[in-house]
């Protein structure tokens, strides 16, 4: 990335006289060997001397560096122990082209960077200094102050006021309204060039101020206004174990800032032009690497104004853009071809001035509209806000401007409502003005909605009941594993062609030969999406071929494109998709073959589970977590797995876990919303309650499944079909009860007891219980799970898990439902549910 290279030492004769003098001054002034954190008026910091300033506590260095493949020199700041990541650059637009750069503090208190006596960068103080000194503080802030002045308010200059691409703890992002100083972070042009690009994170001073990611003067993503708890566009900005954050708004300043809970943890916020992302990173000491903890934009719906005026972006719907209730597409032809820029208009005109009264409908779970045309009163009650909005014909919507504690504060919107989106959990309420006639319809459709929900629950109950019965039936029969290929057959030749980025299509005939015409002996499994066969290509490579069954509604071109995208997802904890094959209506996916089969064959098998001691299981748990972080955050596709379970975790010859079947839901046509049906894919026992019941999926439903998986790995017990002689609970309920009684160790697989580190296992159980909490907003994200597993930081107390209280399902009806049963008697539910 940005590697500061030590410059080559120059022969003495190339030093100019001035540099030699300066060098001497530097040495004497700095009292030789001590690390130095500041320079005064008679001192310099020169590139040629290869010295750096080091902050007093040893956190940060300031010195000269060369980024990436550049040959230029810059003055910058970096964490002492992470020199590859420069967090601040002084002369980003005006580098020196050799190592003759020299930094001084002049009598007026200005920092001056010169090259051969030519000034390349300097500060502009507005106040005169008495006896200035420049000091690198342990916060990473480089400040100029009077030598006897330690009060931060009295600094003459500070680098925190002129951020580069990185926000450090304690830095303010936003405006000083008195000096009109706008502090924003701006991405580098490239890893080789710290020149500010157009991509930035900045605060626009609307009446109700809000942050944006900008590309030049174009809005790229609206982070939204602060609502007392979080920015409206990032509800998952939550109190967390890593950092605290705050938004301050006074008549003098408006800014966002964060601080670290535990200063031994390093976390930064940075923008990147190449990826068009703003990321929060956390340094993971054990890996010597940055973990991406949060990313913006999160998904397609974060694109600014994607759905046009009065549109609403719903990420789990297809297409994602919908008109707000009471609105219809302005240009239906364009709208139907997914050109949403025209947005939506009202079904019924407002009656404001015609005596007949308007009213409001309340929508929930939203990011509030853009606040450019708003009016705000931070102390008005919500009722008065409503009346005030109703009495002004141009007020289109209102809501509470502060949702922390007692809802106080009123914000009103004028004109079109721009850039609204819906969140699968969390989100805010918004009251939208409607004509009286539209409100009547609203009441009716609410009734309809209730009926739908009741009948949906009914449909689910049928499936669950059937599933349960089937499970018992299967359990009574002796379970029989279809396959278990030789464990010692580990060598794999990888064909060259498959390493190309462009996915090769395999001939159907090749696959027929490789799998011996899909012979029964070569069948190694049967998942929810169809049977899987082992095969061997002519050059010796072993493959696993998945024949997709069922009705994928995708066309062939779409299928190929989707497979190509998914094949680009590569991570050491994901099974590699090598190729695909299409023959008539048959679609097949070709994967690398995993000789050790899947995790369920180990953890649920009394003999084989002895192979998996605690270190191996912990390695597997962490690997699965990393694979999920990659799917959720790092990959451009933001894949939600939706069917995570032990049989979808394969093990390679070294027992490294590899997640399989990711992206299949996408191949099957994303969210499968067509007309009025919606397909829920998943496996009961692993599905989060909000997904099983309402089809609401999000990264947090994967987190839930991960939690179950984790508890299964530790207990060696299946989530479903778990019985304890004294209790009628499932695995989660059992784990939860033991946890509450302080006897969580009872759940540990007896095969683990010898090899395990008790405090580590308990920590894992704790993390597992955090993952399976009932409400998605309470569950941690996967990056945070990875951090929790790998550190000693304090963990929150888990709340009641989902599906803990087993529900009584009574109603039945005739909704279409369909079950697919995999070879190892797990249920994969495919539910066609009425909307
Ligand atoms: C700076 O001075 C050195 C030595 O006098 C010389 O070699 C170098 O070319 C000069 N650099 C510039 C940019 O003028
Ligand atoms: C931006 O992200 C890309 C991809 O992760 C990375 O290679 C690059 O170094 C980053 N750029 C900067 C300036 O950090
Ligand atoms: C409605 O509110 C807008 C914005 O505050 C204001 O300009 C306008 O005068 C108000 N209209 C009435 C009739 O109060
Ligand atoms: C901070 O983190 C370190 C390392 O993870 C840990 O040893 C220490 O106890 C933590 N301190 C607090 C106050 O949580």
């Amino acid at each position: 990335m940005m590697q500061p290279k030590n410059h080559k030492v120059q022969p003495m004769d190339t030093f100019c006289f001035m540099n030699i003098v300066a060098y001497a001054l530097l040495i004497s002034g700095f009292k030789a060997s001590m690390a130095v954190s500041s320079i005064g008026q008679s001192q310099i910091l020169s590139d040629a001397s290869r010295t750096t300033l080091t902050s007093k506590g040893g956190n940060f260095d300031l010195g000269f560096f060369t980024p990436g493949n550049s040959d230029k020199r810059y003055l910058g700041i970096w964490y002492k122990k992470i020199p590859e990541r420069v967090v601040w650059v002084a002369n980003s637009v005006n580098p020196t082209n050799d190592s003759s750069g020299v930094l001084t503090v002049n009598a007026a208190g200005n920092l001056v960077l010169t090259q051969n006596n030519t000034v390349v960068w300097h500060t502009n103080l507005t106040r005169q200094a008495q006896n200035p000194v420049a000091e690198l503080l342990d916060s990473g802030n480089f400040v100029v102050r009077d030598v006897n002045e330690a009060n931060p308010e009295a600094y003459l200059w500070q680098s925190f006021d002129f951020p580069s691409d990185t926000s450090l703890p304690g830095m303010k992002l936003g405006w000083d309204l008195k000096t009109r100083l706008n502090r924003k972070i701006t991405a580098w042009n490239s890893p080789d060039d710290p020149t500010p690009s157009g991509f930035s994170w900045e605060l626009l001073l609307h009446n109700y101020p809000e942050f944006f990611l900008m590309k030049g003067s174009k809005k790229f993503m609206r982070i939204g206004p602060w609502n007392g708890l979080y920015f409206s566009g990032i509800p998952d900005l939550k109190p967390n174990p890593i950092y605290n954050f705050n938004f301050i708004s006074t008549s003098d300043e408006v800014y966002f800032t964060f601080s670290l809970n535990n200063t031994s943890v390093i976390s930064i916020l940075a923008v990147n032009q190449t990826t068009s992302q703003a990321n929060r990173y956390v340094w993971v000491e054990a890996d010597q690497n940055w973990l991406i903890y949060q990313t913006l934009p999160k998904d397609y719906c974060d694109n600014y104004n994607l759905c046009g005026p009065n549109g609403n972006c719903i990420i789990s719907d297809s297409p994602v853009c919908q008109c707000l209730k009471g609105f219809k597409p302005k240009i239906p032809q364009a709208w139907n071809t997914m050109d949403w820029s025209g947005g939506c208009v009202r079904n019924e005109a407002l009656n404001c001035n015609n005596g007949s009264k308007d009213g409001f409908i309340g929508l929930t779970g939203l990011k509030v509209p853009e606040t450019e045309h708003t009016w705000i009163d931070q102390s008005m009650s919500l009722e008065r806000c409503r009346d005030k909005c109703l009495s002004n014909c141009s007020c289109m919507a209102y809501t509470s401007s502060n949702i922390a504690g007692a809802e106080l504060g009123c914000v009103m919107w004028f004109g079109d409502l721009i850039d609204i989106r819906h969140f699968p959990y969390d989100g805010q309420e918004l009251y939208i003005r409607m004509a009286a006639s539209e409100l009547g319809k609203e009441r009716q459709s609410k009734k309809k909605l209730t009926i739908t929900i009741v009948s949906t629950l009914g449909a689910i109950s049928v499936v669950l009941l059937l599933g349960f019965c089937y499970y018992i039936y299967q359990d009574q029969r002796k379970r029989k594993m279809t396959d278990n290929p030789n464990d010692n057959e580990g060598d794999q030749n990888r064909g060259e062609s498959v390493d190309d980025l462009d996915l090769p299509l395999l001939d159907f005939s090749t696959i027929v030969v490789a799998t011996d015409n899909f012979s029964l002996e070569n069948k190694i499994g049967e998942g929810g999406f169809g049977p899987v066969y082992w095969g061997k290509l002519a050059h010796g490579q072993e493959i696993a071929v998945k024949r997709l069954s069922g009705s994928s509604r995708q066309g062939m071109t779409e299928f190929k494109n989707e497979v190509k995208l998914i094949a680009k997802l590569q991570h050491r904890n994901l099974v590699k998709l090598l190729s695909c094959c299409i023959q008539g209506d048959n679609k097949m996916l070709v994967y690398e073959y995993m000789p050790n089969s899947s995790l369920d064959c180990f953890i649920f098998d009394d003999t084989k589970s002895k192979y998996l001691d605690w270190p191996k299981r912990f390695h597997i748990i962490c690997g699965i977590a990393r694979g999920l972080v990659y799917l959720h955050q790092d990959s451009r596709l933001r894949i939600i797995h939706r069917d995570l379970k032990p049989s979808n975790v394969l093990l390679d010859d070294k027992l490294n876990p590899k997640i399989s079947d990711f992206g299949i839901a996408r191949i099957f046509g994303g969210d499968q919303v067509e007309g009025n049906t919606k397909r829920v894919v998943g496996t009961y026992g692993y599905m989060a309650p909000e997904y099983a019941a309402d089809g609401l999926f999000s990264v947090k439903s994967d987190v839930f499944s991960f939690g179950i998986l984790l508890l299964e790995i530790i207990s060696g017990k299946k989530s479903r079909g778990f019985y304890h002689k004294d209790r009628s609970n499932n695995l989660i309920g059992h784990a939860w009860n033991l946890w509450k009684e302080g006897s969580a160790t009872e759940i540990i697989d007896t095969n683990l007891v010898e090899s395990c580190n008790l405090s580590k296992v308990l920590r894992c159980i704790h993390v597992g219980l955090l993952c399976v909490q009932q409400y998605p907003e309470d569950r941690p994200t996967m990056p945070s799970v990875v951090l929790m597993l790998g550190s000693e930081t304090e963990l929150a107390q888990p709340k009641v898990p989902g599906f803990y209280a087993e529900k009584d399902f009574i109603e039945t009806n005739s909704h279409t439902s369909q079950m697919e049963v995999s070879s190892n008697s797990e249920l994969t539910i495919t539910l066609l549910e009425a909307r």
Side-chain angles (χ1 to χ4, degrees), residues 1-2 188 190-191 272 274-275:
M1 219 155 71
M2 295 160 265
W188 293 21
S190 77
N272 184 317
T274 319
T275 57

Side-chain angles (χ1 to χ4, degrees), residues 377 379-386 407-410:
D377 180 331
S379 59
M380 188 179 275
S381 74
L382 202 57
E383 293 100 281
R384 278 198 53 212
C385 190
R386 181 183 195 277
E407 300 206 348
L408 258 196
C410 167

Side-chain angles (χ1 to χ4, degrees), residues 642-654:
R642 294 206 253 174
D643 198 12
L644 189 68
K645 54 185 173 182
S647 59
N648 276 337
V649 176
L650 307 186
L651 298 173
D652 73 3
D653 50 343
K654 298 189 184 67

Side-chain angles (χ1 to χ4, degrees), residues 241 261-265 763 790-794:
N261 286 341
N262 183 337
T263 42
S264 70
V265 176
R763 194 174 169 84
S791 74
E792 308 283 310
T793 51
E794 215 172 293

Side-chain angles (χ1 to χ4, degrees), residues 547-601:
R547 270 186 111 151
L548 298 182
S549 59
S551 51
S552 160
R553 284 168 236 182
Q554 275 190 331
M556 287 304 163
T557 323
E558 286 165 289
F559 171 73
K560 269 192 262 176
N561 287 341
E562 204 60 64
V563 171
K564 269 187 195 168
L565 276 177
I566 286 165
K568 282 188 186 147
L569 301 182
Q570 296 200 1
H571 185 270
R572 64 179 186 279
N573 296 114
L574 300 182
V575 173
K576 198 164 171 195
L577 179 58
L578 301 176
S579 169
C580 72
C581 168
I582 297 168
Q583 164 80 13
D585 275 345
N586 276 317
K587 295 169 184 168
M588 278 150 274
L589 297 172
V590 180
Y591 293 94
E592 61 178 340
Y593 172 67
M594 288 292 132
N596 270 324
S597 190
S598 51
L599 186 58
D600 56 327
C601 305

Side-chain angles (χ1 to χ4, degrees), residues 453-464:
I453 287 173
V454 168
S455 59
T456 304
L457 279 176
I460 292 169
S461 64
V462 174
V463 173
L464 296 187

Side-chain angles (χ1 to χ4, degrees), residues 10 13-17 19 96-100 115-118:
Q10 305 205 338
D13 59 1
T14 65
F15 277 359
C16 67
F17 175 66
N19 264 5
T96 63
N97 41 22
D98 59 17
S99 54
S100 62
Q115 178 183 30
N116 287 0
N117 294 325
T118 313

